[in-house]
Amino acid sequence: MDKEEALRRLFGHQAFRDGQEELIDSILSGRDVLGIMPTGGGKSVCYQIPAVLLPGITIVVSPLISLMADQVAALKDTGVRAAYINSTLTMPQLRTVYSRMEAGAYQIVYVAPERLTAEGFLSVARRLNISLVAVDEAHCVSQWGQDFRPSYLHIADFLEQLPCRPVVAAFTATATDEVRQDIIRLLDLQDPCCVVTGFDRPNLFFKVLRPKNKPDALQALLLERKGKCGIVYCATRAAVDQLWEAVNRWGIPAARYHAGMSDEDRRENQDEFQYDRKPVMIATNAFGMGIDKSNVSFVIHYHMPKSPEAYYQEAGRAGRDGAPAECILLFSGGDVRTARFLIENGNENGDLTPEERSRILERDYKRLERMVGYCKTTECLRGYLLDYFGETHPEHCGNCSNCRASFVSEDITRQAQMILSCVKRIQDRLGYSVGGTLVVQVLRGSQDKRVLELGLDQLSTYGLLRQSSKAAVNDWVDCLESQGYLRTNPSHSTLELTDRAGEVLFSGKRVEMPVRKAKEATAPAAKTVPAPAEADEGLVDYLKSVRMDIAREERVPAYIVFSNATLMDMARKRPHTQAEFLEVSGVGAMKAERYGGRFLEAIRTYEEKVT
Ligand code: ADP
Ligand code: ZN
């Protein structure tokens, strides 16, 4: 099996995302890596694929013991031999895992950081052939980060005590330079290949509201999103407790989570949320690091967080499955006071010198200022965040409340059909695809030499958009590309149809383009946009109920069976055979075999009943 095959067969993904391939290649060639990707960017496959391909065992260090069981269950579900070691195991269980480890039964083992330096674990580890040590949430090693864990400082000791140093791969979503330097130094990475992928998460819709009455605003938001899964973040424990009562009173089943609750209570609440028994989680920032629930469809901040780093990390827990999701912040002047209070009274950095403390305070104030800037800006919200993280971006994203307020959408379905069929005709005629410039020339009926030489003036789509300006046609092409109907082939810079183009060409799907409103327009901000209804919603719901049945039978959270994005794609593609089922994004060989029958049957049943 090679890496592409592993991606398809085990995880059901068709292509690598930005950065994944480079990180995997580096690990496989024996070089350390530091992967910096946003939450939801797909860090796990970067070590899970090497774990399957490398001869020895892979140890994954993760701070989140409460999630290990689910992560391991998900891996086993795809056919990977996996186990975990943390304080929830009983002695006999622990002994079994150790002896199976020594017998070579596992490809990947998740370990809590405290365990690494425990004598029992060390003596087993020294006898193993460890190919890779992957450190998840690697920023926990740094005091500069939000989530410093002293036990992370022992990772380097652990590595030193192994007879043969494995490849070390560190992953985090925190992008600041200080943290990056700390990770390299404190984990003792050797000449690591550093990959920082784009921080943009196009499927997230950003919105800032300044409601007069926050509880009322929250109630309205939650009722509008009833049945969907979401997180509400508050600044303090007291606020969590209060809101939790209120939200349940409003008839929305909610769980809660903060550091003042007992371990057992937290665990229970987390499970209620994780297993979709309670769709809404009310929590402080203590909740969420490493949460890999992929179907969170909104994150609401009831209070403004202290920094853009914290905001982006928390908001980024929405939409990890790639489906459209919302990040909404409820801002009020009082939030700034609360944040200042929390900064001044934070006791996270207990044993610092006065100089260090004042440097950290200064840094935190700067971050707070930028966070307030986000709440007040009238420019593109996504752009503001990407700026902060040092990334370039277009001036307007068209998918945040500020951009939406000054954009209206225009129906360009007809133009889209013409453009897509022109791309198809050219490809059919020449047997290869060409660049965007040539496509636009053909559509506009150009007499350019190249067009005539290739005989493209003979196509039925030649000159269809003769009346439109070149700039307009270019805009439409860009829009089709950003909406995923066209793609530019990175190696040849040619324009190609994607699988989704068929929805427009053959199924009459409507295409809308955000267009800037004329200056004088000061209409109220557009209402929150619903997710585009691409798949038959009835069918999606039906597939969800099948998923829920399976999840109950197997006692796993529903998203471990399939993510929402996968069910949506399934509803769009409506597979009828096992081979077609494998074409659905997120369906690997193992899952196809296990669940294919039931989902195929569900689709057939649905079609018979509805059509
Ligand atoms: P994180 O970087 O936050 O750890 P995960 O590894 O949990 O992110 O991945 C987030 C989601 O993206 C998961 O649902 C995963 O299945 C999906 N994903 C990862 N890699 C790909 C890929 N190459 N193509 C499509 N989806 C992917
Ligand atoms: Zn925007």
Side-chain angles (χ1 to χ4, degrees), residues 320-468:
R320 291 179 57 164
D321 57 7
E326 300 171 287
C327 308
I328 304 172
L329 195 160
L330 306 184
F331 176 66
S332 76
D335 291 350
V336 187
R337 272 194 304 280
T338 313
R340 229 183 248 133
F341 177 83
L342 292 173
I343 288 173
E344 277 153 24
N345 297 280
N347 50 2
E348 299 140 27
N349 302 300
D351 42 0
L352 293 179
T353 64
E355 293 89 77
E356 282 174 328
R357 193 184 301 268
S358 77
R359 238 179 56 212
I360 287 182
L361 261 185
E362 197 183 316
R363 174 200 74 183
D364 286 351
Y365 279 130
K366 275 213 192 90
R367 291 178 175 174
L368 174 60
E369 200 180 306
R370 298 292 298 275
M371 189 63 230
V372 176
Y374 174 82
C375 299
K376 295 189 171 167
T377 184
T378 54
E379 305 279 298
C380 173
L381 292 172
R382 168 178 275 102
Y384 186 96
L385 291 168
L386 291 176
D387 258 351
Y388 183 83
F389 293 114
E391 271 197 35
T392 55
H393 56 85
E395 193 182 346
H396 298 285
C397 74
N399 193 29
C400 73
S401 55
N402 286 351
C403 284
R404 280 291 165 77
S406 47
F407 280 82
V408 286
S409 54
E410 192 179 288
D411 186 342
I412 59 158
T413 310
R414 252 172 50 82
Q415 293 92 322
Q417 288 166 344
M418 293 174 183
I419 293 167
L420 297 176
S421 64
C422 186
V423 172
K424 183 165 172 3
R425 294 268 147 74
I426 294 176
Q427 155 98 55
D428 287 349
R429 177 165 186 116
L430 302 178
Y432 55 87
S433 47
V434 301
T437 318
L438 193 53
V439 174
V440 174
Q441 284 176 332
V442 173
L443 281 161
R444 296 189 62 244
S446 156
Q447 295 287 321
D448 188 86
K449 211 168 109 223
R450 192 131 172 263
V451 174
L452 304 180
E453 267 171 19
L454 293 171
L456 299 178
D457 55 338
Q458 307 298 314
L459 296 179
S460 58
T461 49
Y462 179 76
L464 276 183
L465 290 171
R466 196 172 269 125
Q467 309 298 337
S468 310

Side-chain angles (χ1 to χ4, degrees), residues 78-100:
T78 62
V80 179
R81 290 176 279 121
Y84 64 92
I85 298 175
N86 63 33
S87 52
T88 66
L89 297 188
T90 61
M91 260 333 260
Q93 286 174 325
L94 187 62
R95 272 197 294 273
T96 309
V97 174
Y98 281 163
S99 68
R100 301 200 62 202

Side-chain angles (χ1 to χ4, degrees), residues 520-533:
E520 68 279 6
T522 49
K527 268 196 89 95
T528 335
V529 281

Side-chain angles (χ1 to χ4, degrees), residues 7 11-18 20 37-48 71 136-137 171-173 201 290-295 316 319-322 559 563 565-566 585-586:
L7 183 72
F11 302 100
H13 302 316
Q14 305 305 317
F16 283 108
R17 284 195 188 150
D18 206 18
Q20 287 178 329
M37 292 180 173
T39 309
K43 289 181 275 294
S44 345
V45 300
C46 299
Y47 55 81
Q48 288 168 345
Q71 284 164 334
D136 205 6
E137 313 285 354
F171 298 92
T172 179
R201 299 270 312 278
I291 286 297
D292 69 352
K293 187 167 168 57
S294 63
N295 65 340
R320 291 179 57 164
D321 57 7
Y559 69 86
S563 72
T566 297
S585 155

